[in-house]
Amino acid sequence: MSDTSDSLKNGLTYADAGVDIDAGEMLVEHIKPLARSTARPGSEPSLGGFGALFDLKAAGFEDPLIVTTTDGVGTKLKIAIETGRHDGVGVDLVAMCVNDLLAQGAEPLLFLDYYATGKLEIDAARRVVAGIAEGCRQAGAALVGGETAEMPGMYSGGDYDLAGFSLGAVERGQALPWLDRQQAGDLIIGIGSSGPHSNGYSLIRKVVEKSGLSWADDAPFAKDRSLAQALMEPTRIYVKPVLPLMKAGLVKGAAHITGGGLIENPPRCIAEGLQAKFDWDAWPMPKVFQWLGEVGGISDHELRRTFNCGVGFILIVAPEDAEPVLAALLNVGEVAFVCGQLEAA
């Protein structure tokens, strides 16, 4: 009897292996009000179940197609971890998924996240999830669940990684791009970015290393901001200003300018036999990209195929629709401009 009692008393626990179940439960309690703040028609976020339900009819759809996306934040997380600036990367995570949904003409409906770390630090995780909830509110998507994985040995120190999954819907026949309606002479409207968004950060970190600056130093390209503050600006979420234009039938195609920049992304929404011809002088290159190019010795072509260069999202519209589209975007505070047109390939 004593042998059994001693073995139970001295037995290992999950906490001994580095996984704190209590910390995980505490984080869930922090997340619940954040999830509730993202409630929308069709979904009432309530964490704790094994899955989430969504009522497409309650969301106003009649004959919808489901659209799904998944993405991460990339090595921008390294800067967040090194500087303790965890608040905006959750917005980045949502943006990278919902802007892709938007490029298909879909309305974001729900979002789930995956947070993996070696040792769960509740405050850092709470700040990340608060950013995710903010991104969901900006996109009109419900944060309906996620997964927090504490995996000692997989991640060191305060390292963590993020992945996101989003589901959207679009009425049958309305999904973009409308390839059969595109023609030479259609205009490309660019919508301004907030910076590098969440792409090219492996190269950005190389440039910062080459510059000799620390994250706390003043950003050479941004007044009254540290280098970390300027480079951690969250990704713009374009859903609310752009989706009404798509529903009104004013957009023939759209592209989210992510990895691959303005070289690789536009062809994904352009009909065969046509190509994008950009007017590279139509907008000023934001100072952050000028600085990256100068310090890193990066060619214009490499900048354009790595970064968004100030254009986070593009729309393809008929020439007669350009004026109302631009007016609608400018009226809600977007930076928008004609930056090119379609021509025969």
Side-chain angles (χ1 to χ4, degrees), residues 6 24 44 90 121 142 161 168 186 194 217 231 237 245 309 315 321:
D6 288 344
E44 186 64 38
E121 297 179 5
D161 198 9
D186 283 345
S194 57
D217 287 335
L231 289 174
I237 292 176
L245 301 173
C309 295
L315 307 176
D321 291 330

Side-chain angles (χ1 to χ4, degrees), residues 10 27 38 49 63 71 90 101 146 148 200 218 257 289 291 296 310 343 345:
N10 297 321
L27 178 60
T38 68
D63 186 19
D71 213 332
L101 289 178
T148 301
D218 291 340
I257 309 304
F289 301 110
W291 180 80
E343 64 175 16

Side-chain angles (χ1 to χ4, degrees), residues 61-92:
F61 289 91
E62 296 179 2
D63 186 19
L65 299 174
I66 295 299
V67 186
T68 60
T69 59
T70 187
D71 213 332
V73 178
T75 58
K76 189 175 185 177
L77 287 179
K78 290 292 291 183
I79 306 175
I81 292 164
E82 290 172 14
T83 64
R85 303 188 67 86
H86 306 290
D87 303 272
V89 291
V91 176
D92 287 306

Side-chain angles (χ1 to χ4, degrees), residues 62-209:
E62 296 179 2
D63 186 19
L65 299 174
I66 295 299
V67 186
T68 60
T69 59
T70 187
D71 213 332
V73 178
T75 58
K76 189 175 185 177
L77 287 179
K78 290 292 291 183
I79 306 175
I81 292 164
E82 290 172 14
T83 64
R85 303 188 67 86
H86 306 290
D87 303 272
V89 291
V91 176
D92 287 306
L93 183 66
V94 176
M96 297 306 290
C97 293
V98 299
N99 286 341
D100 280 0
L101 289 178
L102 183 66
Q104 301 287 143
E107 177 182 347
L109 302 177
L110 57 81
F111 189 86
L112 299 98
D113 68 277
Y114 176 76
Y115 180 103
T117 185
K119 180 173 176 54
L120 184 58
E121 297 179 5
I122 294 175
D123 181 64
R126 180 194 59 76
R127 289 162 63 190
V128 169
V129 178
I132 292 172
E134 171 58 25
C136 286
R137 290 190 292 269
Q138 290 183 26
L143 176 58
V144 296
E147 172 70 8
T148 301
E150 193 172 21
M151 298 187 289
M154 286 288 289
Y155 300 89
S156 61
D159 286 354
Y160 62 87
D161 198 9
L162 297 174
F165 169 85
S166 190
L167 180 144
V170 59
E171 293 289 2
R172 192 177 304 274
Q174 297 301 307
L176 293 176
W178 294 344
L179 300 177
D180 58 339
R181 304 187 195 183
Q182 294 177 9
Q183 57 188 7
D186 283 345
L187 298 180
I188 303 172
I189 291 178
I191 309 178
S193 68
S194 57
H197 283 180
S198 192
N199 298 103
Y201 274 80
S202 294
L203 179 54
I204 288 172
R205 289 166 50 242
K206 286 279 190 184
V207 173
V208 171
E209 182 181 350

